[in-house]
Amino acid sequence: MHLVYRLTLEDALVMLTAAEEEARRIGVRETICVADDGAHPIALHRMTGARLTGVEIAIAKAFTAAGHQRDTHRFNEPPDGPALPGNEAFGIAHMHPGRFAVFVGGFPIVHEGQVVGAVGVSGGNGAQDKAVGAAALRAFREKVAGTAP
């Protein structure tokens, strides 16, 4: 028997709110996607003025982070990123065409050792996407711990 945790829409909304607050604080317009453990979107939020292409990119980042249970940028981190030329997963981005992202902005959501979903962020540079993703993950941890404002 295995206990499975599920994200709710309420969890996703808490993460989207925190992510948008961080994006506004650092001055970037982002698209944020929260997906469940099956990599299916629960909620998607495109800030006013965010790039139109960010929708599909944020969904792909969440899909990849949930499906592979790892931060998307880890695929390309030198020297051993598995998607780098010559490494074992070079070309993996061609699997699931248009849905697999191997660059910064996808982050698994972990609860009690289980990946319960992921957040995908698109619209800023790498550091901005990481900051917005971190805010979403922090908000989730605070909600689960009962310390969210």
Side-chain angles (χ1 to χ4, degrees):
M1 184 68 58
H2 179 78
L3 179 62
V4 177
Y5 294 100
R6 296 272 184 237
L7 287 178
T8 65
L9 177 59
E10 292 74 21
D11 296 328
L13 294 174
V14 166
M15 288 185 275
L16 292 179
T17 298
E20 181 176 353
E21 287 173 1
E22 179 63 11
R24 288 186 186 286
R25 188 187 74 74
I26 63 176
V28 64
R29 295 172 296 210
E30 298 271 19
T31 300
I32 306 113
C33 176
V34 177
D36 64 17
D37 62 329
H40 302 286
I42 296 172
L44 178 78
H45 181 73
R46 184 168 71 88
M47 294 173 65
T48 301
R51 294 183 199 121
L52 297 175
T53 54
V55 172
E56 292 301 322
I57 295 169
I59 292 170
K61 289 177 179 184
F63 172 86
T64 304
H68 267 266
Q69 302 184 350
R70 67 177 351 159
D71 294 345
T72 54
H73 63 275
R74 296 185 58 127
F75 282 98
N76 284 321
E77 283 184 341
D80 298 322
L84 291 171
N87 289 349
E88 64 187 21
F90 179 66
I92 195 169
H94 298 289
M95 299 302 299
H96 304 286
R99 297 190 70 202
F100 207 93
V102 295
F103 44 91
V104 69
F107 311 95
I109 302 165
V110 180
H111 178 66
E112 294 195 12
Q114 287 183 33
V115 173
V116 296
V119 60
V121 181
S122 178
N125 61 35
Q128 291 167 326
D129 287 358
K130 281 183 178 180
V132 171
L137 296 174
R138 190 169 41 256
F140 174 74
R141 287 189 305 270
E142 290 170 358
K143 180 184 185 297
V144 169
T147 60

